[in-house]
Each structure stands twice: as structure tokens, then as C-alpha cells.
Amino acid sequence: MNRFEYKQFNEVYYEDVCENGLKVIVWHKPLFKSTSCLFGTPFGAYDLQQITDDNEVFKYYSGIAHFLEHKLFESQEGDILSEFSELGANVNAFTSYQETVYYFSTSDEDVETPLNLLLDFVQNLSITEESVEKEKGIITQELLMYLQNPDSRLYFESFKSMYHNNPLKEDIGGSPESVSKITKDDLEECYNLNYHPGNMMIIVVTPKDPNVIMDIIKENQSKKTFPKYKNVIRQIMKEPLEVVTNEKIIEMDVSETKCSFSIKLPVLDTSDEERVKRDWAINLSLQSYFSSLNSDYQKWIDEKKITSYFSFDSDIGKDHSYIIFTDNNDPDTLKEFVLTQFNNFKKTYMSEKDLKMLKNKTLGYLLRLYNNLENISVSYFRDAMNGVSTFQSLNIVQNLDVDYCNKVIKDLDISNNTLTIIKSNSN
Amino acid sequence: MEIVKINENVHLHIYNTDKFKDVSIFIEFLDNSNKHDQTLRNLLALMLEDSSSLYNSKQAVSNLFNKLYGGGFSISFDIKGCARLMEVRSSFVNGKYVDDNKLLEKQFKVINEFLLRPLWIDKEYPKELFEELKEKLRQDISVLNDRPSSYSNKKADLLYGEYIGIKADMNISDLESIQVSDVIGLYNEIINKSIINIIVIGDVDSNDIKKFTKLYLNFENRSSTKEMVYKSNRSEFIEKEEKKKIGQTILQLRYKTNKNVLDSDFPSMIIGNGILGTLPTSLLFQEVREKRSLCYSISSIVYGYDGIMKISTGIDYSNLKTVKELISLQIDKIKTGDYDDSLLETTKKMYINVYRSNSDSAKSIMWDEYRNFIINDGMSIEKMIDEFKKVSKASIMESFKNLELVECYVLRQAEENNE
């Protein structure tokens, strides 16, 4: 068991790997009453086409990762949610584009039983054709719930406007149509490929003795047999640089017009560390210019170029790269504002002083993550999926310099962009 | 928790723990006004957060908080039972992690500056800024109204009335007539008359906290009542259906429970509600979602300070009658004890664990301390856990016997989405 310590923050975790390849992290929080466990696979809504080492290609309907998440909560004995409740533990799961994770928390003395239950239910898919059909109704209601929320709809439509082939163009849960086509065999096939311990990770954040937790997990895994690990790689079809459409209008029953101006960036083939560094550089640079840190911010509001709802989100991932500006304002005003100010930004750059302040802010943000057990496990898992350790991520931010940030911004090509509008359907 | 009386109806609570990386300071202002002025109160919150006498621009405010490691100062207005609460919340990283032993005092200074030295203290409040913040609040209200779940919840609460109706009553038409003087009047009323509790949670020296409180948050004596709990007395049944161009129908039900947190069998009502609709094992979740796939989520929530229970779910309109009948059937099961003993034991265990884990969150620690201080019902976490252990089917039946459906509100999907 390897021990890692971040002395400045008084945080310690341990890392080990089971014989079957399962990576185990035990993060020790001796002062807390609760334990939080997360069991995750890097299989998410992104994975609509995969290829194995022996060149076998698998294709899935969109929404399959999310569907699988729903169905894993079923067992021959009953349903898993109830079994956790009987132990006094809260269990849940989520699917994102990049991953599917299952997690529980408990303040009960007994951590061993729910921990074994988590390992057992995720490592045993037990479904029937009837139960798969029944789940489609529940998932359809869930999809409708998100679709009628203007905020989530705006994001979803922005991705659809940007991407031709990238799975970001599909909702994480798929569509009622794609969900209706998913079969028991599809679910079993993609489960067998993507839920092997060799590509999964379990993270336990706990006040309990890390050695005891590690032993529980190793013992659990030693009793199970798995087929030989088959390395599987996500296949993303080549994505053109251009967006799908330059403008899209969606009508909904809303009183407030919402819009996004999305910039599609090329995906660069770099190391994980360089990509994470670039991601932070873009994020902090945008914060320095497109926020109230900028002395012009008040003027922009006064001149109605932006509203107080103006915000942005950037993500420089392995398979996608974008910046999305959103506002509840006139869409053309938003577009003109972003294009004009981005060009100004490339001429002015971020100052040393602003970068130092933003580093302070980020340090505070990252420190506060350690107040919450679930935040620790989720951020560790996400960092690991991103190819960096959680403490490495902090060091990357602390070592950023303005010259690097300014060069990244200067080199950004913002010409591939699209405007998405959600407006009232009352007229 | 150390409690220090600063002045009449002004108390300081210090909870020392090095569990958290930050120091959280909460200041709770309580009054019992029954005015429909939530819009005015929320505008006050925006004005206090936006600027202060010294930090009089958005840029100055951003620079300040970024330098201070993303420390925060926020104000929110809530209603718990009949208590109108203004909550000031500030969380700063503990100085020991960033080598700054003055950070705690800076935190108190920031609260003093933004709370007690607002922009209007020594000059006229800028008209443009006032209009800008009114516009922001107008958008906040519109955005909430555009989300079918929050819109339906708001409409159902407004229809219900009482204090949940006051809480829901944020509307754009009120904004038009609000003047700066109205906001300042409300501010003075709250700062000078509300009863005040300051709760500090973190790895701190209590002598420092007392010293800084005296220096920066030295509120004067005040004589006020401090009510938080009432029992809803709505009598006649209300039913309303409204159409919206959305893809899913939302059903909102409101019940009068005739029980509140001060009733000795209230822990039974909490467990009974857990059996009914807060957990994955709950009857509503199992019967409506799991067995029949009629919804994605369904829940029941008890408002123990008001004596109200809410049930809400998103469904297809064609299933409305079935879902209403199913909900009614599950409530009957609670009233007659018609469920497995194991469900009772599971629910008790879940709630005991949830209460035990409250000490892992600064916000929960604060609320447990504050509600106990105000209500003084002796329901510490430990006591509540003991009470949960005693709950039986019979005590749940007793606590639910006077539960009464008094409102059914339906936000109906438009016909074209129903085809």
C-alpha cells in the first residue's frame, strides 16, 4: 500500500492495486463520522463506439451507459437501493460523458457490509428482458424532465449545434427513441466490456483504519473470477473543425430568452499534464477578462452588452475542446460582445496581479473540496480519468505563469462558433 | 458548543473543530413579520452582496475576495415556520493552511464592512446600480418561473397561503414600486430589531472569536419575540389545474399534518414520512416508480415548523388519476400501519445515520445548534436518535391520523405534447 501525503493541507491517502487489476484508493479522514465510497468505470455517454485490442468493434445506441447505471440497481433478490437502505446507507449513481460512478455514504459503524454490497452489485449484472422494457418508461420520464428545463436544454442544444460526430451531440441519457432500441443483450455486452476490475477504480474516504478497508476490498475481490481483461478503447469518429450550424432557435414555454455562444476548439494531441495545464490556463484567463475582475465589467452591464446572468464554461478534454458563453440577453448582442471582446483580450492579456489573485481563489476552492467526503472521491476519480493525480492538479495551477496563459489565449482560434437561442413559444 | 451572551437577544456560539479546512461564520437574524415582502428582502440581499462603502465597485469586490483565497460573503432570506430569517454566511480558508495568521480577523472585518457599512451609509445609493439589481432580481424570478418544477412548487405554495405562501411570493410586479428608501427601511428594521445569533465553526481560538465579535459585530440589545413554529390551519380543500407548453405534467399535493416539531410524537411523523416518500425503499417510490414506471422521481417532504406535508412528482397527464389514487393508497397504508415491519426498521436506521452524519457538515452543525437554541426543545442529535429508536407502527399511525389533503395543484402539459 503506497502512502501519499500533502503536508500543507494535512491530507493523506493510500493507494494499492488488487490482483485482478482493481485500483483502490483509501483516503483517511480520521475526524469525520461518515464514510463515502465511490466505485467507477471510465465508461460514459461518450462511449458509443469502442474497439478492443484484437480489433473487434462495438457500437451502441446513445444512452446505453446511463441505462446500464439504472439496471445495475437490480438484483435477483430484489433491488439494491433497498438493500443499502436496510444497512442505513445512502446509495446513488451518476453517468456523465466520461464515466459512470456508483457511490454510497454511511455513518454506521459497519462499513464492511455496504462496501461489499457496492462491490458485489456493480460486479454482477442481473437483468431480465421484462425489467429492461419496464425501465424504459422511467428513463423516458427522466429525459423529459431535463428537456423541459431551459438551462439543461440550452447546453444540450449547444453541443448538438457544435458537433457532427462527437457523442457530445447526444444527451447523456440518449433520446426516447434510442433508449427504446436498447436490448438486454446490448446491456450485457457493453457491461462485460466495460465493468472489468482492470479498468475500474474504488475510492473510500473514511475515518476507519485504511489497512482494514484495503483488506475488505482485497478479500472481496479474491473470491471472484473475471474473464481475462480485454483492453477497450473509445473510438471517436473524426470531427470536422467546423460547427454543424451557425445559429439555432428552440422555442419553449419560457418568459426569459436564453442564449449561448459556443466556440468549438480543435482537440490537441498532447500529454495529459499539458492538457490539464492548458485547461486551467484558459479557465483562469477567461476569469480574468470576462468577469468582474475586469474594470470594464460594470460598463458592459450598464451598456446592456451583458446581463448579470453572463457566464462561461470551458472544457479542454481528451476528445473535445470548447468554450461556451451564456446569457439571458439579446443573442446577437451576446455574439458581437464575445467576438469583439475576445479580440481585445488577445491584445491586452492577463496581468501578473490578476493571475496571482486567481491562483489564491483556486487554492481556496481546492482546499474546500477536502471538507466534503463525496467531493474528495469524485474529484480524485475525475483527476485520475484526466491522467493527473489530485495533488498534481493543484501544483499545475500554482506553477502557471502569465506568459504561458497569454500565449494559449493568443493562439486560440475562435472562428468556429455557433449561437443557440431558447425563446418563448407564446407568439 | 460554547455560547456567549453578547447583549440582550444577541448570542455568539463557538464550535471548535479542526475537521474543516475553513472557518464558517453564520449570522442568523430572526423576525416574525407576516408581510408579503420576500421580493424586497431578496433585493436587500443583492444590494448587500454587491458592494460596500469601501468596496464600491464589482471589480473591488472581486479583487478583495480573490485575494482572500475565494473567501465568501453571502446573504439569503429564508422562512422556517413563522421565522423570517436573514442568514449571513461567510466561509474563509483557515489561515493555517495558507500561512496567514491574520485571515480570521480579515474575515470579521469583511463581514463588518459588507453587513454594517453598506454602500448607502455615507452617500446616496446610485440609481443606475439600484435599477441594475432590480433587473437582476427580475431575471432571477423569471428564470425560476421558467423551470416547471420550481414554478409549480411556487404556484402551489402561493395557493396554499400562510408562511409558505409568503416565502413563494416573489413577483416581478412588486419590483416596479420598490424604492431605495424601502430597502434601507427594511435593512434598519432587521439590523436593529431582529434577534441575532452568530455561529462560528472551525479550528479557532475562542478568545479571538470573542474579541473580534466585540470589535466588529457588536450588536446592541434588542427585545423581540422569537417564534419559529406554528401549525397550519388551512381548512377548505383547493384544487387547481393550469396548462403550460411543457412535456411533462407536475402534480403538487399539500397536506395539513396537525403536527409540528414541538409535538412529542413528531419523530414518529419524520419516520412515517420516510416510509411514505423520502427514501428508495419508500412506498411512493416503490409503488409509483419501481412497480409501474409512472414517474422518474416522487417525494414527500414534511415541513415540521409549519405543520405541512408536500408531495410532488412529474408524470404523463394520462396517468394523473392513477397516480393520485396510488398516492392516496400509500398514505392510507401509513395511517393503518399496512407495511412490513422491516420497512419501519430500515427507515429508522436510515434516519439515525443521516442525523449522525450531520456533524460532518458545517451547515448542519450550525442549523442543529441554532434551531435548538431558538426552539429550546432539547432535541439534540443524540436525543433525536434516541427518539427515532422508540418509534413504532402505532406511534406513526397516531402521528398521521390527522393528516388531511387540503390542496391539489396540477401543472398540466399542453395537448400537443401529450400526443
Side-chain angles (χ1 to χ4, degrees):
Chain A
M1 198 159 78
N2 295 316
R3 184 178 187 275
F4 296 86
E5 182 174 7
Y6 204 72
K7 280 197 174 141
Q8 189 191 351
F9 294 169
N10 196 21
E11 293 291 331
V12 176
Y13 70 87
Y14 301 83
E15 196 179 283
D16 209 343
V17 181
C18 295
E19 278 183 23
N20 62 18
L22 177 65
K23 191 173 178 190
V24 186
I25 307 297
V26 184
W27 198 294
H28 198 212
K29 296 290 275 186
L31 297 175
F32 279 68
K33 281 228 161 69
S34 312
T35 290
S36 174
C37 300
L38 176 156
F39 195 12
T41 170
F43 175 66
Y46 237 120
D47 299 284
L48 298 181
Q49 186 167 318
Q50 296 180 303
I51 184 164
T52 58
D53 281 349
D54 42 7
N55 287 326
E56 203 178 350
V57 175
F58 294 85
K59 289 182 180 177
Y60 307 114
Y61 292 114
S62 66
I64 196 162
H66 175 252
F67 203 132
L68 199 48
E69 175 217 309
H70 272 239
K71 290 321 292 172
L72 269 169
F73 280 95
E74 191 174 293
S75 75
Q76 279 168 340
E77 295 76 35
D79 85 285
I80 301 296
L81 292 168
S82 303
E83 288 184 48
F84 273 99
S85 297
E86 282 157 22
L87 298 167
N90 260 312
V91 66
N92 213 332
F94 67 82
T95 308
S96 74
Y97 283 103
Q98 305 285 357
E99 72 257 322
T100 309
V101 302
Y102 303 81
Y103 57 96
F104 78 85
S105 64
T106 182
S107 60
D108 201 271
E109 261 310 296
D110 178 16
V111 172
E112 183 172 359
T113 316
L115 178 52
N116 277 319
L117 181 58
L118 177 73
L119 288 161
D120 292 346
F121 97 80
V122 177
Q123 292 183 324
N124 176 31
L125 178 67
S126 168
I127 50 174
T128 62
E129 278 173 8
E130 188 195 358
S131 74
V132 168
E133 288 310 307
K134 189 179 75 87
E135 200 69 27
K136 292 177 182 175
I138 296 170
I139 293 174
T140 300
Q141 286 303 321
E142 184 182 2
L143 296 177
L144 287 173
M145 185 179 79
Y146 291 122
L147 274 179
Q148 68 185 25
N149 180 318
D151 300 304
S152 46
R153 184 77 186 270
L154 181 66
Y155 256 80
F156 173 48
E157 296 295 345
S158 302
F159 287 142
K160 270 173 85 172
S161 292
M162 268 193 282
Y163 291 103
H164 298 261
N165 304 320
N166 189 296
L168 279 180
K169 71 180 180 145
E170 308 283 354
D171 190 358
I172 288 171
S175 64
E177 294 73 35
S178 68
V179 167
S180 71
K181 290 177 188 156
I182 293 171
T183 65
K184 175 175 171 278
D185 290 346
D186 295 335
L187 291 166
E188 285 173 341
E189 183 181 79
C190 92
Y191 173 81
N192 290 332
L193 264 184
N194 292 287
Y195 280 72
H196 192 283
N199 71 340
M200 293 185 72
M201 184 186 288
I202 183 160
I203 303 164
V204 185
V205 190
T206 182
K208 306 278 180 197
D209 181 347
N211 286 303
V212 173
I213 297 293
M214 201 64 87
D215 288 347
I216 294 169
I217 295 168
K218 284 186 173 172
E219 197 192 333
N220 178 291
Q221 293 301 287
S222 68
K223 290 177 192 160
K224 296 174 181 168
T225 52
F226 293 89
K228 191 171 173 285
Y229 177 55
K230 216 184 231 186
N231 191 34
V232 62
I233 296 167
R234 175 181 296 161
Q235 271 197 322
I236 305 282
M237 282 175 70
K238 196 167 164 43
E239 177 69 34
L241 277 176
E242 296 76 28
V243 294
V244 176
T245 177
N246 291 112
E247 186 172 316
K248 186 197 288 174
I249 299 172
I250 305 289
E251 293 193 347
M252 290 180 75
D253 197 346
V254 293
S255 54
E256 209 64 32
T257 297
K258 285 180 172 293
C259 52
S260 70
F261 182 68
S262 311
I263 298 169
K264 183 178 177 182
L265 301 170
V267 174
L268 298 182
D269 187 18
T270 58
S271 68
D272 289 333
E273 192 171 338
E274 172 60 22
R275 194 187 63 256
V276 171
K277 185 178 172 186
R278 193 179 169 78
D279 193 17
W280 277 112
I282 291 177
N283 186 284
L284 297 190
S285 300
L286 291 172
Q287 283 191 57
S288 77
Y289 193 84
F290 288 99
S291 80
S292 49
L293 272 180
N294 191 321
S295 58
D296 285 340
Y297 189 81
Q298 183 66 55
K299 194 177 85 181
W300 295 337
I301 289 181
D302 293 343
E303 291 172 356
K304 304 209 180 309
K305 288 180 175 162
I306 57 170
T307 77
S308 53
Y309 270 78
F310 175 79
S311 69
F312 61 83
D313 177 27
S314 62
D315 191 355
I316 312 302
K318 279 180 187 169
D319 303 307
H320 62 255
S321 194
Y322 61 79
I323 302 170
I324 300 181
F325 293 89
T326 57
D327 203 353
N328 293 5
N329 203 2
D330 171 64
D332 292 328
T333 308
L334 173 69
K335 180 178 178 176
E336 193 194 331
F337 168 76
V338 174
L339 288 175
T340 309
Q341 292 306 327
F342 223 108
N343 286 326
N344 289 346
F345 182 28
K346 287 185 172 196
K347 291 173 205 153
T348 54
Y349 301 134
M350 173 163 60
S351 70
E352 290 270 8
K353 185 179 140 237
D354 281 354
L355 179 60
K356 187 171 185 306
M357 279 194 292
L358 287 165
K359 281 182 179 180
N360 273 3
K361 179 187 172 188
T362 308
L363 175 62
Y365 163 77
L366 293 172
L367 252 171
R368 283 193 196 87
L369 284 181
Y370 301 121
N371 284 343
N372 181 293
L373 306 184
E374 277 171 13
N375 285 347
I376 292 173
S377 53
V378 171
S379 66
Y380 185 96
F381 187 77
R382 292 223 158 123
D383 282 337
M385 294 301 107
N386 244 334
V388 295
S389 79
T390 199
F391 297 147
Q392 205 180 349
S393 188
L394 185 59
N395 287 334
I396 288 172
V397 178
Q398 292 306 310
N399 292 326
L400 274 178
D401 65 73
V402 282
D403 291 340
Y404 175 83
C405 294
N406 290 335
K407 181 166 183 340
V408 167
I409 293 296
K410 193 182 168 196
D411 293 346
L412 283 184
D413 173 8
I414 60 167
S415 60
N416 295 301
N417 54 59
T418 175
L419 190 60
T420 309
I421 304 153
I422 289 192
K423 66 172 206 176
S424 169
N425 57 8
S426 60
N427 298 322
Chain B
M1 185 84 74
E2 183 184 354
I3 302 176
V4 184
K5 183 174 176 179
I6 306 290
N7 271 315
E8 200 57 42
N9 277 317
V10 181
H11 289 85
L12 169 67
H13 310 239
I14 306 167
Y15 184 90
N16 207 314
T17 173
D18 59 353
K19 190 181 277 192
F20 307 116
K21 304 293 180 200
D22 53 3
V23 176
S24 293
I25 301 177
F26 300 87
I27 312 177
E28 301 289 335
F29 293 79
L30 187 159
D31 69 80
N32 286 127
S33 164
N34 59 4
K35 280 187 202 160
H36 280 249
D37 59 0
Q38 270 307 85
T39 315
L40 180 63
R41 285 176 186 242
N42 279 278
L43 185 56
L44 168 61
L46 291 181
M47 288 165 72
L48 289 173
E49 285 174 356
D50 181 78
S51 50
S52 75
S53 183
L54 188 59
Y55 302 98
N56 57 10
S57 71
K58 288 182 175 57
Q59 189 187 26
V61 174
S62 283
N63 284 344
L64 171 74
F65 287 118
N66 285 337
K67 266 185 213 158
L68 296 172
Y69 304 93
F73 170 87
S74 64
I75 305 238
S76 59
F77 281 94
D78 196 4
I79 303 184
K80 291 272 188 199
C82 56
R84 309 288 299 267
L85 299 171
M86 177 172 94
E87 180 178 289
V88 176
R89 182 176 186 176
S90 166
S91 156
F92 273 42
V93 164
N94 193 310
K96 70 181 180 182
Y97 294 111
V98 288
D99 249 355
D100 183 347
N101 58 15
K102 297 274 181 219
L103 206 49
L104 182 63
E105 183 168 10
K106 287 176 193 167
Q107 186 173 6
F108 273 87
K109 278 185 180 172
V110 163
I111 299 172
N112 171 281
E113 173 65 25
F114 280 81
L115 181 64
L116 300 175
R117 294 190 43 74
L119 190 57
W120 60 78
I121 203 147
D122 44 28
K123 68 171 187 180
E124 196 178 338
Y125 197 83
K127 194 167 176 294
E128 302 75 27
L129 182 58
F130 187 61
E131 291 306 319
E132 175 197 322
L133 296 177
K134 276 168 82 170
E135 172 58 20
K136 175 171 174 21
L137 186 55
R138 187 198 65 73
Q139 288 202 17
D140 288 347
I141 297 169
S142 290
V143 165
L144 281 177
N145 289 344
D146 284 344
R147 290 182 192 141
S149 56
S150 53
Y151 176 77
S152 61
N153 183 57
K154 172 183 172 168
K155 290 302 288 280
D157 285 352
L158 279 171
L159 207 56
Y160 194 98
E162 299 184 349
Y163 279 92
I164 63 165
I166 294 176
K167 185 175 174 179
D169 195 4
M170 287 246 289
N171 62 72
I172 291 166
S173 59
D174 279 358
L175 265 176
E176 306 299 324
S177 58
I178 293 177
Q179 305 295 318
V180 174
S181 56
D182 299 325
V183 187
I184 295 174
L186 174 68
Y187 169 82
N188 289 334
E189 185 83 11
I190 290 173
I191 295 291
N192 297 321
K193 294 189 179 164
S194 296
I195 67 162
I196 297 175
N197 284 273
I198 304 163
I199 300 139
V200 181
I201 297 165
D203 186 14
V204 289
D205 179 332
S206 73
N207 289 325
D208 284 345
I209 298 297
K210 288 173 206 165
K211 184 174 80 186
F212 297 147
T213 302
K214 206 163 179 122
L215 265 173
Y216 301 111
L217 299 170
N218 196 14
F219 296 101
E220 290 173 359
N221 291 335
R222 54 210 55 227
S223 54
S224 304
T225 53
K226 47 174 185 174
E227 299 299 322
M228 188 178 266
V229 182
Y230 77 105
K231 266 184 197 164
S232 170
N233 60 8
R234 223 203 132 78
S235 49
E236 79 278 22
F237 177 72
I238 335 161
E239 191 161 23
K240 188 171 178 183
E241 193 170 290
E242 191 179 342
K243 267 190 191 174
K244 205 169 164 64
K245 289 175 188 163
I246 50 177
Q248 191 179 56
T249 291
I250 301 178
L251 170 65
Q252 296 278 358
L253 299 169
R254 301 287 180 266
Y255 300 78
K256 179 169 71 170
T257 63
N258 289 299
K259 283 271 173 272
N260 66 27
V261 292
L262 296 179
D263 288 306
S264 59
D265 60 349
F266 187 70
S268 298
M269 173 149 264
I270 294 182
I271 299 297
N273 181 55
I275 294 169
L276 176 67
T278 58
L279 304 174
T281 45
S282 297
L283 297 173
L284 289 175
F285 189 83
Q286 290 295 324
E287 295 294 326
V288 184
R289 171 178 149 144
E290 292 295 294
K291 283 192 189 158
R292 295 174 182 82
S293 306
L294 294 172
C295 67
Y296 168 64
S297 73
I298 182 163
S299 64
S300 67
I301 304 171
V302 163
Y303 289 76
Y305 303 95
D306 305 79
I308 293 169
M309 185 175 87
K310 296 184 184 180
I311 292 181
S312 58
T313 184
I315 53 173
D316 190 87
Y317 185 74
S318 60
N319 297 319
L320 179 64
K321 189 166 172 275
T322 313
V323 171
K324 278 164 76 174
E325 282 168 4
L326 278 169
I327 292 171
S328 176
L329 268 173
Q330 309 322 309
I331 290 175
D332 285 345
K333 286 183 188 170
I334 302 290
K335 286 184 170 179
T336 57
D338 180 19
Y339 48 86
D340 285 349
D341 291 344
S342 62
L343 184 54
L344 172 63
E345 292 313 310
T346 296
T347 309
K348 282 161 70 169
K349 196 163 187 179
M350 277 299 286
Y351 272 85
I352 288 167
N353 276 344
V354 167
Y355 272 67
R356 205 184 279 139
S357 64
N358 277 356
S359 68
D360 287 341
S361 145
K363 176 79 184 172
S364 299
I365 293 168
M366 181 284 288
W367 181 250
D368 283 328
E369 168 65 14
Y370 182 62
R371 55 126 7 239
N372 282 329
F373 186 77
I374 297 294
I375 298 175
N376 196 21
D377 61 353
M379 279 292 179
S380 61
I381 291 175
E382 293 73 25
K383 172 85 171 131
M384 201 65 178
I385 288 173
D386 285 344
E387 292 298 317
F388 284 152
K389 286 177 183 166
K390 291 182 210 158
V391 170
S392 64
K393 265 191 185 177
S395 70
I396 292 173
M397 285 160 67
E398 180 64 25
S399 70
F400 266 73
K401 77 174 180 194
N402 292 321
L403 184 96
E404 196 184 331
L405 178 65
V406 285
E407 186 191 329
C408 173
Y409 171 85
V410 178
L411 183 63
R412 179 180 172 176
Q413 70 211 71
E415 302 299 331
E416 60 256 357
N417 293 310
N418 200 14
E419 286 168 6

